[in-house]
Amino acid sequence: MKAFYADEQKRHDPKGFLSSGAPKPNPEQPERVERLLAGARAAGCEIVRPREHGLGPIAAVHTPEYLDFLEHIHARWQRIAEASEEVIPNIHPIARGGSYPASAVGQAGYHMADTSCPISAETWESSLWSAWSAVEAAEAVLSGEPAAYALCRPPGHHAFADVAGGFCFINNSAVAAQRLRKTAARVAILDVDLHHGNGTQGIFYARPDVLTVSIHADPVRFYPFFWGHADERGEGPGLGYNLNLPLARKSADAEFLAALDKGLQRIRAFAPEALVVALGLDAFEGDPFGGLSVTTQGFARIAEAVAGLGLPTVIVQEGGYLCDALSDNLTSFLAGFGGAHRLAAG
Ligand SMILES: [Zn+2]
């Protein structure tokens, strides 16, 4: 399987965020890239640099207002007297509507959901290349590769059409799914990250052509709190095209695989022509977030079950933070997927 990644993705280097109000080091570190590259190589992946794809495939799922903000906000922020080095919001509209703020501080609050996605001078470029890795993986699958892996960093699944959040700026999984829609009439996104894929859900919430399924720690007491509950089923023409499968904290392999069964059943009934897996590895028992208790071997079993769909598949990296097994968890998933997918797609 090819793995797409560009070194520019390592330049974004966020310093901190607030966790329950306390300043903490930001866990979405560039070092993640080294661990994930090692894991992909150990699974036999060939690492390939993506081409540049411009803004087109990104603007297909994000608003122009938001993309203009992401590109220029850091330079604008530096012109504010005594502003922080990184762009971090400190005021948010409690509801959208009303007028769009003209100021940098107002727009930061409008377009950034929380403090975990600070924007530095490098963020825009890193995010573009991360998205282009997803586009390139989708292109590979469109040209006949059975599966491809996009080592997307920064991750993307918490980014809405016009809001950054949860370490995410451009929604790489949504970009890949939209790209696959060039030829696939229906695309499913299966999100197995520890956290609910709220941005992805939001982008496709009113659409019946992209089914979104997410398995995650129950947001009743976990990020992203406001989304990820089982009663969120889509709206308008998209009603019935979103499935959330929240799990109790510390759920392990057996519970995860049981939820996955339900998710796969829904995906089969949707009869998609292509699949995007939003691959977070932070459901791992040793991940610093500590929300679920999936094992390294569990990732192989998840991968085998997903590969059983036999669909052309783009695997997009989402979360998964620094811990001893991060490389091994990726290897476990990709190797497990590759073997089972060859049999299923046979
Ligand atoms: Zn996550």
Side-chain angles (χ1 to χ4, degrees):
M1 189 187 311
K2 284 183 178 153
F4 295 98
Y5 162 75
D7 270 333
E8 287 85 346
Q9 291 173 232
K10 238 175 16 188
R11 294 176 56 187
H12 168 68
D13 186 6
K15 301 303 178 211
F17 81 124
L18 295 177
S19 177
S20 307
K24 294 272 169 64
N26 195 299
E28 207 288 279
Q29 289 299 303
E31 169 66 16
R32 294 180 62 238
V33 162
E34 304 303 335
R35 311 277 184 99
L36 294 168
L37 280 174
R41 286 197 185 98
C45 289
E46 173 197 356
I47 313 295
V48 180
R49 182 180 168 82
R51 296 165 291 181
E52 294 187 29
H53 289 275
L55 276 185
I58 299 167
V61 297
H62 289 287
T63 66
E65 194 174 69
Y66 175 62
L67 294 177
D68 186 53
F69 164 83
L70 272 187
E71 182 174 3
H72 299 293
I73 188 60
H74 185 264
R76 292 170 58 203
W77 198 259
Q78 300 316 303
R79 296 198 285 270
I80 304 172
E82 298 182 57
S84 54
E85 164 55 29
E86 296 176 316
V87 179
I88 301 168
N90 55 262
I91 181 167
H92 301 276
I94 55 167
R96 288 293 194 81
S99 57
Y100 182 68
S103 75
V105 172
Q107 288 180 10
Y110 188 89
H111 289 300
M112 299 168 82
D114 52 55
T115 59
S116 70
C117 46
I119 296 173
S120 68
E122 323 289 350
T123 303
W124 173 244
E125 189 182 24
S126 286
S127 301
L128 280 180
W129 283 99
S130 187
W132 290 336
S133 287
V135 173
E136 199 72 53
E139 288 292 331
V141 165
L142 288 173
S143 5
E145 299 268 350
Y149 169 63
L151 199 172
C152 291
R153 188 272 162 184
H157 74 150
H158 297 306
F160 286 74
D162 64 354
V163 179
F167 317 135
C168 301
F169 304 92
I170 295 173
N171 193 314
N172 309 302
S173 291
V175 166
Q178 187 63 38
R179 193 65 163 190
L180 291 169
R181 281 282 291 108
K182 280 208 306 193
T183 60
R186 288 177 307 287
V187 176
I189 303 177
L190 172 65
D191 189 319
V192 298
D193 188 280
L194 165 65
H195 303 95
H196 174 243
N198 55 334
T200 315
Q201 169 177 303
I203 287 170
F204 298 111
Y205 207 54
R207 284 173 52 171
D209 58 326
V210 178
L211 173 74
T212 44
V213 175
S214 182
I215 304 168
H216 47 265
D218 193 328
V220 68
R221 283 188 188 78
F222 208 68
Y223 190 92
F225 301 102
F226 312 109
W227 300 274
H229 305 275
D231 60 355
E232 296 157 24
R233 300 175 50 241
E235 67 184 11
L239 185 63
Y241 293 85
N242 184 75
L243 177 63
N244 286 332
L245 298 161
L247 293 172
R249 290 286 287 277
K250 302 292 181 189
S251 289
D253 293 353
E255 293 90 343
F256 199 103
L257 288 163
L260 181 62
D261 259 355
K262 290 184 196 157
L264 295 177
Q265 188 179 336
R266 182 67 58 91
I267 290 171
R268 284 194 176 92
F270 177 64
E273 293 170 8
L275 176 72
V276 173
V277 179
L279 177 62
L281 297 166
D282 42 4
F284 177 54
E285 57 183 350
D287 187 90
F289 278 99
L292 293 175
S293 300
V294 173
T295 64
T296 299
Q297 193 50 40
F299 286 112
R301 294 176 59 198
I302 292 167
E304 286 158 12
V306 176
L309 291 169
L311 289 167
T313 302
V314 177
I315 300 164
V316 175
Q317 186 65 49
E318 299 286 356
Y321 300 93
L322 296 177
C323 59
D324 289 346
L326 182 55
S327 301
D328 292 344
N329 290 340
L330 180 60
T331 306
S332 180
F333 186 93
L334 292 178
F337 187 91
H341 197 244
R342 273 189 293 278
L343 292 175

